[in-house]
Amino acid sequence: MLSEPRSGRLAAWGNALLAGLVSPDDAVHAIVGDDAVHRVEGLPGEAGPVGLTLALGRLRALGVTGYRVALPAPGHPLGLSGPPEFNARALEAEEAVVATGAAYGLVPEIREAGPAGDVHVDVLWHCLPVQEAPPADVPSLGEAERELAEALRKATSTLTRLDVAASGPVAEAAVDAYRARSERGAAETLAPGYPPRAVRVLELAQRIGLLISVAYENGHGGAVSAAEIAARGEALRPVERVARRAQVAAYNAYVEERQRG
């Protein structure tokens, strides 16, 4: 939840490319980010993996008109529509891109190499057939924004009562650092063409994801009893789910608005 999922970058900048708002080079540069290289395997008509620029062009030629994101978790097939093989791969990766206009999906396989401190990341996207059906459990932007506000209010109240680390100065410092980074790169939160509300929802979802990670990484705080530790987990799990739903809603906003005309 802390970092932008690779499927989010591919969907957002892939949509901007389809809309003619960015060049292929700019789109690929944004998608790859700090990774060494991205390739796509399994494309119809290609015998082996191809570069991302060629892959995005080929998908467009195959009829792709937009990209959605899926961020599934065990028991929660968020953004998926099948078939089982694709869903299983997406669940293992915890993310995927589902195309509209042509029944294809992309699942990333992350490969790391090199010594500590100089690790190079290669990403191989597996292109697979998908079912053309509404994605599972994806809210509208308005629903996602309301859910985030309510979930954050409830979780903050519970974590403060339990004296969990994520409700104190450690969390405040982490959030301040995140806010500074997000302000420096605010224009890159989503690609061109996305509505301001989608940017707002994504930023809030990512900030909440940071709080969740801080809560998990900084111990139990004052929650020393088994009951209090269980209560902390019960407080965080719904927020985690809501934040993932909001991220998907934000990334999918381009396609949803286009389909509404």
PDB file of all heavy atoms in Angstrom, residues 68 79-83 87 98-104 130-138 252 255-256 259:
ATOM      1  N   ARG A  68      -7.993  -1.103 -16.649  1.00  0.00           N
ATOM      2  CA  ARG A  68      -8.434  -1.080 -15.256  1.00  0.00           C
ATOM      3  C   ARG A  68      -7.386  -1.776 -14.390  1.00  0.00           C
ATOM      4  O   ARG A  68      -6.559  -2.535 -14.882  1.00  0.00           O
ATOM      5  CB  ARG A  68      -9.770  -1.806 -15.088  1.00  0.00           C
ATOM      6  CG  ARG A  68     -10.992  -1.088 -15.648  1.00  0.00           C
ATOM      7  CD  ARG A  68     -12.241  -1.824 -15.166  1.00  0.00           C
ATOM      8  NE  ARG A  68     -13.479  -1.131 -15.510  1.00  0.00           N
ATOM      9  CZ  ARG A  68     -14.303  -1.518 -16.476  1.00  0.00           C
ATOM     10  NH1 ARG A  68     -13.998  -2.588 -17.208  1.00  0.00           N
ATOM     11  NH2 ARG A  68     -15.414  -0.857 -16.707  1.00  0.00           N
ATOM     12  N   GLY A  79     -11.544  -6.226  -8.316  1.00  0.00           N
ATOM     13  CA  GLY A  79     -11.213  -5.795  -9.663  1.00  0.00           C
ATOM     14  C   GLY A  79     -11.105  -6.906 -10.685  1.00  0.00           C
ATOM     15  O   GLY A  79     -10.884  -6.625 -11.861  1.00  0.00           O
ATOM     16  N   LEU A  80     -11.259  -8.169 -10.258  1.00  0.00           N
ATOM     17  CA  LEU A  80     -11.113  -9.289 -11.177  1.00  0.00           C
ATOM     18  C   LEU A  80     -12.455  -9.690 -11.777  1.00  0.00           C
ATOM     19  O   LEU A  80     -13.507  -9.439 -11.199  1.00  0.00           O
ATOM     20  CB  LEU A  80     -10.496 -10.499 -10.456  1.00  0.00           C
ATOM     21  CG  LEU A  80      -9.079 -10.298  -9.903  1.00  0.00           C
ATOM     22  CD1 LEU A  80      -8.635 -11.529  -9.139  1.00  0.00           C
ATOM     23  CD2 LEU A  80      -8.100  -9.985 -11.037  1.00  0.00           C
ATOM     24  N   SER A  81     -12.377 -10.355 -12.939  1.00  0.00           N
ATOM     25  CA  SER A  81     -13.602 -10.823 -13.597  1.00  0.00           C
ATOM     26  C   SER A  81     -13.457 -12.242 -14.141  1.00  0.00           C
ATOM     27  O   SER A  81     -14.368 -12.747 -14.777  1.00  0.00           O
ATOM     28  CB  SER A  81     -13.980  -9.873 -14.746  1.00  0.00           C
ATOM     29  OG  SER A  81     -12.920  -9.772 -15.680  1.00  0.00           O
ATOM     30  N   GLY A  82     -12.288 -12.889 -13.890  1.00  0.00           N
ATOM     31  CA  GLY A  82     -12.059 -14.240 -14.385  1.00  0.00           C
ATOM     32  C   GLY A  82     -11.281 -14.209 -15.688  1.00  0.00           C
ATOM     33  O   GLY A  82     -10.969 -13.143 -16.223  1.00  0.00           O
ATOM     34  N   PRO A  83     -10.940 -15.419 -16.171  1.00  0.00           N
ATOM     35  CA  PRO A  83     -11.247 -16.765 -15.682  1.00  0.00           C
ATOM     36  C   PRO A  83     -10.356 -17.154 -14.496  1.00  0.00           C
ATOM     37  O   PRO A  83      -9.479 -16.375 -14.098  1.00  0.00           O
ATOM     38  CB  PRO A  83     -10.956 -17.637 -16.902  1.00  0.00           C
ATOM     39  CG  PRO A  83      -9.846 -16.915 -17.599  1.00  0.00           C
ATOM     40  CD  PRO A  83     -10.153 -15.450 -17.417  1.00  0.00           C
ATOM     41  N   ASN A  87      -7.262 -15.111 -12.525  1.00  0.00           N
ATOM     42  CA  ASN A  87      -7.490 -14.700 -11.142  1.00  0.00           C
ATOM     43  C   ASN A  87      -6.420 -15.262 -10.208  1.00  0.00           C
ATOM     44  O   ASN A  87      -5.952 -14.574  -9.294  1.00  0.00           O
ATOM     45  CB  ASN A  87      -8.878 -15.158 -10.676  1.00  0.00           C
ATOM     46  CG  ASN A  87      -9.997 -14.342 -11.297  1.00  0.00           C
ATOM     47  OD1 ASN A  87      -9.746 -13.467 -12.133  1.00  0.00           O
ATOM     48  ND2 ASN A  87     -11.223 -14.622 -10.906  1.00  0.00           N
ATOM     49  N   VAL A  98      -6.438  -5.103 -16.185  1.00  0.00           N
ATOM     50  CA  VAL A  98      -7.459  -5.723 -17.025  1.00  0.00           C
ATOM     51  C   VAL A  98      -7.860  -4.731 -18.102  1.00  0.00           C
ATOM     52  O   VAL A  98      -8.285  -3.610 -17.800  1.00  0.00           O
ATOM     53  CB  VAL A  98      -8.690  -6.137 -16.204  1.00  0.00           C
ATOM     54  CG1 VAL A  98      -9.750  -6.775 -17.102  1.00  0.00           C
ATOM     55  CG2 VAL A  98      -8.286  -7.108 -15.086  1.00  0.00           C
ATOM     56  N   ALA A  99      -7.690  -5.122 -19.364  1.00  0.00           N
ATOM     57  CA  ALA A  99      -7.992  -4.229 -20.478  1.00  0.00           C
ATOM     58  C   ALA A  99      -9.485  -4.200 -20.762  1.00  0.00           C
ATOM     59  O   ALA A  99     -10.213  -5.158 -20.478  1.00  0.00           O
ATOM     60  CB  ALA A  99      -7.233  -4.668 -21.723  1.00  0.00           C
ATOM     61  N   THR A 100      -9.947  -3.090 -21.333  1.00  0.00           N
ATOM     62  CA  THR A 100     -11.301  -2.988 -21.866  1.00  0.00           C
ATOM     63  C   THR A 100     -11.205  -2.841 -23.375  1.00  0.00           C
ATOM     64  O   THR A 100     -10.211  -2.356 -23.910  1.00  0.00           O
ATOM     65  CB  THR A 100     -12.045  -1.782 -21.276  1.00  0.00           C
ATOM     66  OG1 THR A 100     -11.336  -0.573 -21.618  1.00  0.00           O
ATOM     67  CG2 THR A 100     -12.127  -1.878 -19.763  1.00  0.00           C
ATOM     68  N   GLY A 101     -12.254  -3.294 -24.063  1.00  0.00           N
ATOM     69  CA  GLY A 101     -12.252  -3.236 -25.525  1.00  0.00           C
ATOM     70  C   GLY A 101     -11.713  -4.494 -26.163  1.00  0.00           C
ATOM     71  O   GLY A 101     -12.058  -4.813 -27.303  1.00  0.00           O
ATOM     72  N   ALA A 102     -10.848  -5.207 -25.477  1.00  0.00           N
ATOM     73  CA  ALA A 102     -10.305  -6.497 -25.913  1.00  0.00           C
ATOM     74  C   ALA A 102     -10.016  -7.299 -24.660  1.00  0.00           C
ATOM     75  O   ALA A 102      -9.547  -6.756 -23.664  1.00  0.00           O
ATOM     76  CB  ALA A 102      -9.036  -6.308 -26.748  1.00  0.00           C
ATOM     77  N   ALA A 103     -10.294  -8.589 -24.706  1.00  0.00           N
ATOM     78  CA  ALA A 103     -10.286  -9.415 -23.492  1.00  0.00           C
ATOM     79  C   ALA A 103      -8.891  -9.904 -23.142  1.00  0.00           C
ATOM     80  O   ALA A 103      -8.560 -11.094 -23.285  1.00  0.00           O
ATOM     81  CB  ALA A 103     -11.236 -10.595 -23.668  1.00  0.00           C
ATOM     82  N   TYR A 104      -8.061  -8.977 -22.666  1.00  0.00           N
ATOM     83  CA  TYR A 104      -6.710  -9.320 -22.238  1.00  0.00           C
ATOM     84  C   TYR A 104      -6.436  -8.735 -20.863  1.00  0.00           C
ATOM     85  O   TYR A 104      -6.998  -7.696 -20.480  1.00  0.00           O
ATOM     86  CB  TYR A 104      -5.662  -8.795 -23.226  1.00  0.00           C
ATOM     87  CG  TYR A 104      -5.786  -9.375 -24.608  1.00  0.00           C
ATOM     88  CD1 TYR A 104      -6.346  -8.629 -25.644  1.00  0.00           C
ATOM     89  CD2 TYR A 104      -5.356 -10.672 -24.883  1.00  0.00           C
ATOM     90  CE1 TYR A 104      -6.474  -9.163 -26.912  1.00  0.00           C
ATOM     91  CE2 TYR A 104      -5.488 -11.208 -26.157  1.00  0.00           C
ATOM     92  CZ  TYR A 104      -6.042 -10.453 -27.167  1.00  0.00           C
ATOM     93  OH  TYR A 104      -6.176 -10.980 -28.420  1.00  0.00           O
ATOM     94  N   VAL A 130      -8.864 -12.741 -20.504  1.00  0.00           N
ATOM     95  CA  VAL A 130      -9.753 -12.481 -19.369  1.00  0.00           C
ATOM     96  C   VAL A 130     -11.198 -12.557 -19.846  1.00  0.00           C
ATOM     97  O   VAL A 130     -11.482 -12.509 -21.044  1.00  0.00           O
ATOM     98  CB  VAL A 130      -9.490 -11.099 -18.727  1.00  0.00           C
ATOM     99  CG1 VAL A 130      -8.084 -11.026 -18.169  1.00  0.00           C
ATOM    100  CG2 VAL A 130      -9.729  -9.979 -19.739  1.00  0.00           C
ATOM    101  N   GLN A 131     -12.101 -12.659 -18.896  1.00  0.00           N
ATOM    102  CA  GLN A 131     -13.521 -12.639 -19.212  1.00  0.00           C
ATOM    103  C   GLN A 131     -14.001 -11.200 -19.285  1.00  0.00           C
ATOM    104  O   GLN A 131     -13.584 -10.353 -18.477  1.00  0.00           O
ATOM    105  CB  GLN A 131     -14.313 -13.405 -18.152  1.00  0.00           C
ATOM    106  CG  GLN A 131     -14.071 -14.896 -18.163  1.00  0.00           C
ATOM    107  CD  GLN A 131     -14.837 -15.613 -17.070  1.00  0.00           C
ATOM    108  OE1 GLN A 131     -15.420 -14.986 -16.198  1.00  0.00           O
ATOM    109  NE2 GLN A 131     -14.834 -16.936 -17.116  1.00  0.00           N
ATOM    110  N   GLU A 132     -14.866 -10.917 -20.210  1.00  0.00           N
ATOM    111  CA  GLU A 132     -15.446  -9.582 -20.330  1.00  0.00           C
ATOM    112  C   GLU A 132     -16.675  -9.514 -19.424  1.00  0.00           C
ATOM    113  O   GLU A 132     -17.764  -9.946 -19.800  1.00  0.00           O
ATOM    114  CB  GLU A 132     -15.805  -9.285 -21.782  1.00  0.00           C
ATOM    115  CG  GLU A 132     -14.578  -9.219 -22.680  1.00  0.00           C
ATOM    116  CD  GLU A 132     -14.926  -8.816 -24.105  1.00  0.00           C
ATOM    117  OE1 GLU A 132     -15.280  -9.696 -24.887  1.00  0.00           O
ATOM    118  OE2 GLU A 132     -14.841  -7.610 -24.414  1.00  0.00           O
ATOM    119  N   ALA A 133     -16.473  -9.011 -18.232  1.00  0.00           N
ATOM    120  CA  ALA A 133     -17.536  -8.923 -17.232  1.00  0.00           C
ATOM    121  C   ALA A 133     -17.193  -7.779 -16.288  1.00  0.00           C
ATOM    122  O   ALA A 133     -16.034  -7.353 -16.213  1.00  0.00           O
ATOM    123  CB  ALA A 133     -17.651 -10.236 -16.454  1.00  0.00           C
ATOM    124  N   PRO A 134     -18.185  -7.244 -15.562  1.00  0.00           N
ATOM    125  CA  PRO A 134     -17.902  -6.165 -14.606  1.00  0.00           C
ATOM    126  C   PRO A 134     -16.885  -6.614 -13.563  1.00  0.00           C
ATOM    127  O   PRO A 134     -16.955  -7.743 -13.072  1.00  0.00           O
ATOM    128  CB  PRO A 134     -19.269  -5.892 -13.970  1.00  0.00           C
ATOM    129  CG  PRO A 134     -20.259  -6.380 -14.971  1.00  0.00           C
ATOM    130  CD  PRO A 134     -19.624  -7.561 -15.640  1.00  0.00           C
ATOM    131  N   PRO A 135     -15.926  -5.755 -13.201  1.00  0.00           N
ATOM    132  CA  PRO A 135     -14.928  -6.131 -12.192  1.00  0.00           C
ATOM    133  C   PRO A 135     -15.562  -6.266 -10.814  1.00  0.00           C
ATOM    134  O   PRO A 135     -16.522  -5.559 -10.485  1.00  0.00           O
ATOM    135  CB  PRO A 135     -13.929  -4.968 -12.238  1.00  0.00           C
ATOM    136  CG  PRO A 135     -14.710  -3.814 -12.779  1.00  0.00           C
ATOM    137  CD  PRO A 135     -15.713  -4.399 -13.729  1.00  0.00           C
ATOM    138  N   ALA A 136     -15.007  -7.159 -10.004  1.00  0.00           N
ATOM    139  CA  ALA A 136     -15.592  -7.470  -8.700  1.00  0.00           C
ATOM    140  C   ALA A 136     -15.333  -6.376  -7.680  1.00  0.00           C
ATOM    141  O   ALA A 136     -14.198  -5.939  -7.488  1.00  0.00           O
ATOM    142  CB  ALA A 136     -15.028  -8.799  -8.189  1.00  0.00           C
ATOM    143  N   ASP A 137     -16.427  -5.922  -7.032  1.00  0.00           N
ATOM    144  CA  ASP A 137     -16.365  -5.121  -5.797  1.00  0.00           C
ATOM    145  C   ASP A 137     -15.663  -3.778  -5.942  1.00  0.00           C
ATOM    146  O   ASP A 137     -15.040  -3.290  -5.012  1.00  0.00           O
ATOM    147  CB  ASP A 137     -15.671  -5.934  -4.696  1.00  0.00           C
ATOM    148  CG  ASP A 137     -15.952  -5.372  -3.307  1.00  0.00           C
ATOM    149  OD1 ASP A 137     -17.077  -4.896  -3.080  1.00  0.00           O
ATOM    150  OD2 ASP A 137     -15.041  -5.393  -2.453  1.00  0.00           O
ATOM    151  N   VAL A 138     -15.746  -3.153  -7.110  1.00  0.00           N
ATOM    152  CA  VAL A 138     -15.105  -1.846  -7.299  1.00  0.00           C
ATOM    153  C   VAL A 138     -16.126  -0.741  -7.062  1.00  0.00           C
ATOM    154  O   VAL A 138     -17.139  -0.668  -7.763  1.00  0.00           O
ATOM    155  CB  VAL A 138     -14.505  -1.723  -8.711  1.00  0.00           C
ATOM    156  CG1 VAL A 138     -13.886  -0.342  -8.902  1.00  0.00           C
ATOM    157  CG2 VAL A 138     -13.466  -2.806  -8.938  1.00  0.00           C
ATOM    158  N   ASN A 252      -9.295   3.306 -11.900  1.00  0.00           N
ATOM    159  CA  ASN A 252     -10.292   2.926 -12.902  1.00  0.00           C
ATOM    160  C   ASN A 252     -11.187   4.083 -13.318  1.00  0.00           C
ATOM    161  O   ASN A 252     -12.045   3.920 -14.186  1.00  0.00           O
ATOM    162  CB  ASN A 252     -11.158   1.783 -12.371  1.00  0.00           C
ATOM    163  CG  ASN A 252     -10.376   0.496 -12.187  1.00  0.00           C
ATOM    164  OD1 ASN A 252      -9.163   0.464 -12.394  1.00  0.00           O
ATOM    165  ND2 ASN A 252     -11.049  -0.570 -11.795  1.00  0.00           N
ATOM    166  N   VAL A 255     -11.529   4.944 -17.162  1.00  0.00           N
ATOM    167  CA  VAL A 255     -12.384   4.063 -17.948  1.00  0.00           C
ATOM    168  C   VAL A 255     -13.848   4.268 -17.602  1.00  0.00           C
ATOM    169  O   VAL A 255     -14.712   4.312 -18.477  1.00  0.00           O
ATOM    170  CB  VAL A 255     -11.987   2.594 -17.722  1.00  0.00           C
ATOM    171  CG1 VAL A 255     -12.987   1.643 -18.378  1.00  0.00           C
ATOM    172  CG2 VAL A 255     -10.591   2.348 -18.298  1.00  0.00           C
ATOM    173  N   GLU A 256     -14.140   4.424 -16.304  1.00  0.00           N
ATOM    174  CA  GLU A 256     -15.534   4.594 -15.880  1.00  0.00           C
ATOM    175  C   GLU A 256     -16.127   5.870 -16.465  1.00  0.00           C
ATOM    176  O   GLU A 256     -17.260   5.877 -16.937  1.00  0.00           O
ATOM    177  CB  GLU A 256     -15.621   4.621 -14.345  1.00  0.00           C
ATOM    178  CG  GLU A 256     -15.079   3.370 -13.659  1.00  0.00           C
ATOM    179  CD  GLU A 256     -15.734   2.098 -14.136  1.00  0.00           C
ATOM    180  OE1 GLU A 256     -16.932   2.141 -14.504  1.00  0.00           O
ATOM    181  OE2 GLU A 256     -15.060   1.045 -14.171  1.00  0.00           O
ATOM    182  N   GLN A 259     -16.768   5.469 -20.200  1.00  0.00           N
ATOM    183  CA  GLN A 259     -17.954   4.638 -20.499  1.00  0.00           C
ATOM    184  C   GLN A 259     -19.248   5.393 -20.225  1.00  0.00           C
ATOM    185  O   GLN A 259     -20.274   5.115 -20.853  1.00  0.00           O
ATOM    186  CB  GLN A 259     -17.887   3.356 -19.667  1.00  0.00           C
ATOM    187  CG  GLN A 259     -16.801   2.392 -20.134  1.00  0.00           C
ATOM    188  CD  GLN A 259     -16.772   1.107 -19.350  1.00  0.00           C
ATOM    189  OE1 GLN A 259     -17.311   1.009 -18.250  1.00  0.00           O
ATOM    190  NE2 GLN A 259     -16.137   0.075 -19.905  1.00  0.00           N
TER     191      GLN A 259
END
